[in-house]
Amino acid sequence: MFCSMEEMCQSSNQNGRNLYETILQDDVEERGTTKEESLAKMNELWQVMKKTAADYDGNLKSASGLSGGDAQKYLEYTQTKEALIGSFVSSVMYYALCTAESNACMRRIVASPTAGSCGVIPAVLIPYQKRFGVSDGKIVEGLYVAAGIGQVIAQRASIAGAEGGCQAEIGTASAMAAGMLVYLQGGTKEQVLHAVSMALKNILGLVCDPVAGLVEVPCIKRNVMGAVNAVTSADMALSGIASRIPCDEVIDAMK
């Protein structure tokens, strides 16, 4: 188990592995499983993410009546009018909404890293796969990178909204997604760290303040914000923009 992003990268360099291989090996050793079993489980999680999005029902409402149907509204808007943003980010927004709404409506989701932030990672991965045509196997590699990032944040700070505020929940999911996107785009380990830093910095201070104590309002719309933040942070890092604050120090600041 890695206690810092710097340690994770150093281990990767010392063993001549990329981040995906390093995190996969760490999972195998920590849980006493095999690579094949670990990969099969991660692929299962990816298939559930895709099925959750594919099975979205815009007619469903949550038990509270506070959420449901917004993803359908946004989809119809982008199909009938020219959105202010491009088609890729519009897709990211749609998938964040539909996955987070599915959670509120008690459908099957993948907590990534939590149920309340379940929309962020699939929101960037599903449109990414469609746009760039990458295999499920490559997406699974990205999920390991995301998992490694989330594990470090959980170890050094928190991923729970109830404990660390929404900065810990949506912030962590956004940082995981940002680093994952950089990896998938062939970025360096240093660029992965910069993307994680920028994504998390952008959400520092965000509190957990759910209406009626439910993970619906404002949580669902924050999944959209976290997903879009991940894309912008990844693009900044890939362009060569660096975070002035080291990744681990940003995580410690959140704590």
Side-chain angles (χ1 to χ4, degrees):
M1 180 180 293
F2 298 108
C3 296
S4 73
M5 291 298 296
E6 190 64 33
E7 178 191 355
M8 183 188 295
C9 289
Q10 287 177 356
S11 175
S12 178
N13 292 334
Q14 289 168 1
N15 293 305
R17 301 187 180 113
N18 62 28
L19 283 177
Y20 146 68
E21 294 165 333
T22 299
I23 296 161
L24 170 59
Q25 185 60 36
D26 183 64
D27 181 56
V28 167
E29 293 173 359
E30 182 182 345
R31 296 196 298 118
T33 186
T34 66
K35 288 185 178 181
E36 291 73 22
E37 289 169 341
S38 179
L39 285 164
K41 182 61 179 177
M42 190 66 87
N43 183 64
E44 178 190 350
L45 296 177
W46 168 231
Q47 299 308 318
V48 171
M49 288 181 181
K50 290 195 292 184
K51 183 169 174 51
T52 299
D55 290 348
Y56 170 74
D57 184 350
N59 295 314
L60 285 180
K61 294 289 183 181
S62 64
S64 69
L66 290 173
S67 57
D70 283 349
Q72 185 64 36
K73 290 178 184 176
Y74 187 75
L75 180 63
E76 292 171 359
Y77 163 72
T78 60
Q79 291 174 337
T80 58
K81 295 183 180 180
E82 185 176 357
L84 294 173
I85 55 178
S87 59
F88 179 76
V89 176
S90 286
S91 292
V92 168
M93 294 175 64
Y94 166 74
Y95 284 113
L97 283 169
C98 76
T99 305
E101 284 186 350
S102 293
N103 174 54
C105 294
M106 304 304 289
R107 310 201 87 180
R108 192 180 187 205
I109 52 91
V110 176
S112 47
T114 63
S117 60
C118 67
V120 176
I121 287 178
V124 300
L125 278 184
I126 295 172
Y128 182 88
Q129 186 177 50
K130 291 180 179 179
R131 179 176 178 180
F132 295 101
V134 299
S135 67
D136 282 348
K138 190 65 179 179
I139 294 294
V140 165
E141 289 186 21
L143 284 170
Y144 274 96
V145 174
I149 295 165
Q151 181 268 317
V152 170
I153 297 175
Q155 183 79 2
R156 292 184 76 93
S158 175
I159 60 172
E163 180 181 32
C166 210
Q167 60 178 353
E169 194 162 3
I170 296 296
T172 299
S174 188
M176 291 166 66
M180 174 185 65
L181 284 173
V182 171
Y183 170 83
L184 289 172
Q185 284 292 82
T188 65
K189 297 181 184 74
E190 291 73 21
Q191 288 174 328
V192 169
L193 297 188
H194 289 311
V196 170
S197 298
M198 288 186 281
L200 196 54
K201 281 193 299 183
N202 290 345
I203 302 182
L204 282 182
L206 189 63
V207 300
C208 178
D209 189 22
V211 173
L214 302 169
V215 187
E216 297 182 64
V217 180
C219 319
I220 292 172
K221 297 176 184 69
R222 287 181 175 180
N223 275 259
V224 177
M225 179 269 295
V228 174
N229 178 54
V231 175
T232 59
S233 298
D235 257 351
M236 283 193 288
L238 287 164
S239 76
I241 296 173
S243 171
R244 299 303 181 188
I245 311 300
C247 187
D248 291 317
E249 290 186 25
V250 177
I251 298 170
D252 292 344
M254 183 179 76
K255 182 180 180 180

